[in-house]
Amino acid sequence: MKFREKERVKKSQAENAPLPTPGRPRLPNEEALISTISELAVHGSAADGRRRTEVTRACRTQDDLTCVLKERGYNLSRSATYLRLIPARANTREGKLHVKTAPVKLTRAENDLHKSHPDGQFCVASIRNAKCIASVSGSSEVAVLSKDDKCRIPLGISAATKEAPLLMHMEYRVRLPDHDWVVGSRHKLIPSVYAGIRIINKSPIGQPDAVSYSGPTYVAIRSGKHSSSTATTHAVDFERLIKLENFESILHTSSGEIKPVLVNFVDGGPDENPRYRKVIAETVEAFKAHNLDYVITVTNAPGRSAFNRVERRMAPLSRMLAGLVLEHNHYGAHLDSQGRTVDAELEKQNFEFAGKTLAEVWSTLNIDGESVVAEYIPPADLDESTDGHPGTEWYAAHVRESQYTLQVAKCLDDRCCTPLRSKIRTILPDGFLPPPLLLSDGLEAAQPLSRDCHYAPLFVQLAAKIAFPTDQDPVPYDFYCPTIQNQLKSRCCSICGLYFASQVSVKEHKRDAHNMAALIDVQNRAGTSHEGPGRRSARVAARKGEVLTELQDEVGQPVDVEWVADAAEEGDEWDDNIPLSSLISNTAEWARPLWTED
């Protein structure tokens, strides 16, 4: 009885006792803790403990911060440490527990660290000048496109491995394949993405910001085994763009004609790089076929393709692939137990079904309120054997090459070109975009490779008429390009001064335009040619109608890497036993093989 009575009294006292204050327990030295966290966040770095590297160690994560606080005498749990930090969302129930916090917040690492390149600012100057042309001419005369290939999408496995929120009925099960590799060799789809860019005429006129990032999107999906992404396929896709309804306002005038000025922002791959011969040939063909007044194709420096406008369309496209598995054997198995193709026709049918499925998924998407059109392009035999060169005389008058820019423009001769349909000559009196001009203080042209200088805006350069610090006439477009300084002389014709993007083109120009074929042949045989570096055999790194080869100077030092005509077509013998790594050290910047994933 006494025990029961004591228990009843304890229970009564417990029920009548006041509840403790809600929230986390207070530390006796709270202010010092908050100050310590702030100090560690700002100055909590030190040299490497082993002094073997230049890196610093710091409180990078919540666990690191908790460990350092324990070393300083604050015995806190991981959750208690988090309650002393600024919450991710303060209006939630959990966020209201963060009563007294230090001005410190956890951040998430992002993959936005891009490679730097010496030519970065030079390329940005060309891109801004191209956007100025589009801004001044307006959407009535200028069509702006941005294109790139999305990374190849595998068949038979999850198309995107990134986590994404899923809304599903719990009675259904999500079933994924029991492997994480491609089911067969090159069983992937190649999506070529084309972004139409709308021009917003803002005030003041001529600002590069008038070229927006929004517009319709077209995706051409091809089989990674039966097709490839080349300059010819991009030309075929452009012809398809002209017929699309959602690109009507981007590419056509009010009268239904193709807009006379075309601006292309591209990546630097072999299928899009403006200095490669196949790209130039296809650009000239489109220029002639559609009676264009001016075409300019610009690319960013190597490693900076993430800033291309079409990259803004890649994230929504990738989001639609989360959890999507494209079947590789819808119409039946075309592979044997070792992954080898045993039925070629059935394989093409399976690829077509997977491509059409992907096209249906992407066609339901809207990006910035603009429609997306995706199509599967069946394999076709495309003629990529000829360059389609328009002739040396026509080429010298209408085409201007450079390392990162290609321009094709009409001349004013009525016997050669039809009358202009735009006012591009009002903006560019010479017909072509002038070389980017590097200015120092006082509107003085700076010397190449000068520091603490800036590139002049296009209209300042056109109005000021500042002379370049050179006697070359005409001035090479790449005069201020940092990585081309030691190649400017060898890329210019010594007769007329015309600048080319490769030394092979210079030799062809001299041979055809100035009748120097015999002299160049004698110099090459004697090994005393002064027309630029010679050509050394190299293993084929990528074959798209051209071959990657190294150029050397007279003493055998490598100076450049260029795409030249396939040696098999010329009758030359290539030494395939020479390792490419011993010849070319920067292959990643100048060439991407067919199987490389962007």
Side-chain angles (χ1 to χ4, degrees):
M1 294 294 293
K2 290 183 179 180
F3 175 77
R4 293 180 179 179
E5 186 65 27
K6 289 181 181 180
E7 290 296 321
R8 189 181 299 109
V9 172
K10 289 181 181 180
K11 184 177 180 181
S12 177
Q13 291 177 351
E15 292 178 351
N16 297 328
L19 295 176
T21 304
R24 52 184 170 77
R26 298 288 179 174
L27 292 179
N29 201 2
E30 188 79 21
E31 296 294 338
L33 173 61
I34 299 300
S35 177
T36 301
I37 294 177
S38 301
E39 178 186 355
L40 291 174
V42 179
H43 306 290
S45 300
D48 184 9
R50 304 182 69 181
R51 302 296 193 274
R52 295 185 178 181
T53 63
E54 297 180 357
V55 300
T56 60
R57 54 182 175 84
C59 300
R60 301 179 182 274
T61 64
Q62 182 179 345
D63 292 331
D64 295 338
L65 178 59
T66 304
C67 293
V68 176
L69 288 176
K70 287 184 178 180
E71 294 176 359
R72 297 202 175 192
Y74 298 98
N75 191 14
L76 297 177
S77 64
R78 187 176 185 273
S79 59
T81 303
Y82 180 66
L83 290 176
R84 268 75 180 182
L85 306 179
I86 298 176
R89 294 185 63 185
N91 59 346
T92 62
R93 181 178 179 181
E94 186 274 337
K96 294 178 181 179
L97 298 178
H98 297 246
V99 179
K100 191 172 183 60
T101 61
V104 178
K105 187 175 183 179
L106 293 178
T107 58
R108 181 171 52 187
E110 298 179 355
N111 56 344
D112 57 354
L113 180 61
H114 304 285
K115 291 175 58 179
S116 61
H117 196 276
D119 298 340
Q121 293 300 321
F122 175 81
C123 294
V124 169
S126 298
I127 293 174
R128 291 181 64 86
N129 291 345
K131 291 191 292 185
C132 286
I133 293 175
S135 175
V136 172
S137 300
S139 57
S140 61
E141 293 185 352
V142 180
V144 183
L145 296 176
S146 180
K147 58 185 178 181
D148 193 12
D149 291 340
K150 195 184 184 301
C151 62
R152 301 194 176 193
I153 300 175
L155 302 184
I157 64 175
S158 180
T161 58
K162 295 183 179 180
E163 296 181 0
L166 297 178
L167 181 63
M168 65 185 71
H169 198 284
M170 297 305 297
E171 294 181 0
Y172 295 95
R173 297 172 56 192
V174 178
R175 306 183 63 185
L176 297 177
D178 59 350
H179 61 273
D180 57 355
W181 62 86
V182 182
V183 294
S185 175
R186 300 178 67 181
H187 270 53
K188 296 183 179 181
L189 298 176
I190 307 176
S192 298
V193 184
Y194 299 84
I197 308 299
R198 298 195 183 278
I199 303 174
I200 304 174
N201 293 321
K202 295 182 178 179
S203 180
I205 192 172
Q207 293 297 322
D209 296 338
V211 180
S212 67
Y213 285 85
S214 62
T217 305
Y218 173 69
V219 186
I221 304 171
R222 290 182 170 83
S223 166
K225 186 171 185 180
H226 308 95
S227 304
S228 61
S229 178
T230 64
T232 304
T233 60
H234 287 307
V236 173
D237 293 341
F238 179 74
E239 298 299 326
R240 174 58 179 154
L241 284 178
I242 297 175
K243 302 176 183 178
L244 291 179
E245 183 179 354
N246 61 335
F247 275 80
E248 180 75 21
S249 60
I250 296 292
L251 296 175
H252 293 266
T253 63
S254 57
S255 60
E257 296 180 305
I258 302 297
K259 292 182 180 179
V261 179
L262 178 62
V263 179
N264 289 315
F265 299 111
V266 301
D267 196 6
D271 55 337
E272 302 165 347
N273 198 307
R275 67 190 291 256
Y276 292 162
R277 301 164 67 95
K278 290 294 184 182
V279 177
I280 297 175
E282 296 294 349
T283 303
V284 171
E285 288 296 324
F287 174 83
K288 290 184 172 182
H290 301 290
N291 189 26
L292 302 179
D293 290 352
Y294 179 74
V295 178
I296 180 170
T297 302
V298 289
T299 181
N300 228 313
R304 309 290 291 177
S305 61
F307 297 95
N308 195 2
R309 273 168 157 69
V310 73
E311 297 295 336
R312 298 288 185 96
R313 316 288 174 90
M314 298 302 185
L317 294 176
S318 297
R319 191 179 302 116
M320 298 291 290
L321 300 181
L324 176 66
V325 178
L326 299 174
E327 291 186 67
H328 71 286
N329 55 357
H330 177 76
Y331 294 108
H334 60 270
L335 300 174
D336 58 13
S337 59
Q338 297 182 357
R340 295 175 299 190
T341 302
V342 295
D343 191 334
E345 290 300 323
L346 183 59
E347 182 181 51
K348 291 183 179 180
Q349 295 178 14
N350 287 329
F351 267 95
E352 183 176 0
F353 177 81
K356 290 183 177 180
T357 302
L358 179 59
E360 291 179 3
V361 171
W362 275 343
S363 296
T364 61
L365 182 66
N366 281 340
I367 302 178
D368 292 337
E370 301 282 354
S371 61
V372 176
V373 175
E375 294 179 338
Y376 176 75
I377 309 299
D381 296 330
L382 301 177
D383 185 12
E384 300 184 7
S385 60
T386 60
D387 283 345
H389 199 283
T392 304
E393 184 177 352
W394 190 96
Y395 194 89
H398 299 80
V399 181
R400 292 294 180 269
E401 305 177 19
S402 65
Q403 185 73 15
Y404 303 103
T405 306
L406 172 66
Q407 302 179 74
V408 184
K410 282 183 179 180
C411 65
L412 300 180
D413 189 355
D414 295 339
R415 297 170 297 179
C416 177
C417 297
T418 59
L420 294 174
R421 299 190 291 126
S422 66
K423 299 179 181 178
I424 189 66
R425 284 279 181 166
T426 305
I427 307 171
L428 304 176
D430 298 332
F432 299 99
L433 195 68
L437 176 62
L438 194 63
L439 291 181
S440 60
D441 294 337
L443 288 180
E444 294 289 338
Q447 293 293 330
L449 304 180
S450 298
R451 297 185 177 181
D452 299 328
C453 299
H454 58 277
Y455 286 96
L458 174 62
F459 298 108
V460 172
Q461 180 177 351
L462 293 175
K465 301 294 184 181
I466 301 174
F468 284 79
T470 179
D471 296 332
Q472 290 181 268
D473 186 27
V475 179
Y477 189 89
D478 293 335
F479 180 77
Y480 282 112
C481 187
T483 60
I484 312 297
Q485 294 302 309
N486 60 344
Q487 304 174 39
L488 287 177
K489 185 176 181 181
S490 59
R491 289 188 177 189
C492 292
C493 176
S494 58
I495 308 297
C496 61
L498 194 61
Y499 177 77
F500 293 88
S502 66
Q503 297 164 17
V504 174
S505 298
V506 176
K507 289 186 177 182
E508 292 181 353
H509 170 76
K510 287 188 175 183
R511 180 190 62 201
D512 299 335
H514 304 295
N515 298 323
M516 297 182 62
L519 176 60
I520 293 177
D521 182 64
V522 171
Q523 290 177 338
N524 287 336
R525 292 178 181 275
T528 60
S529 175
H530 299 287
E531 306 303 327
R535 188 175 71 184
R536 177 180 176 180
S537 301
R539 182 173 61 86
V540 176
R543 186 183 296 276
K544 295 189 176 186
E546 297 175 317
V547 176
L548 180 66
T549 184
E550 181 190 61
L551 300 180
Q552 299 177 341
D553 56 16
E554 289 79 0
V555 296
Q557 295 297 323
V559 295
D560 197 6
V561 177
E562 293 184 358
W563 290 79
V564 299
D566 195 339
E569 300 176 2
E570 298 179 353
D572 299 337
E573 294 183 358
W574 291 87
D575 187 2
D576 291 339
N577 297 322
I578 300 178
L580 187 64
S581 58
S582 64
L583 299 177
I584 303 167
S585 59
N586 60 343
T587 315
E589 295 185 0
W590 297 102
R592 290 187 302 173
L594 295 177
W595 56 87
T596 299
E597 299 184 3
D598 301 342

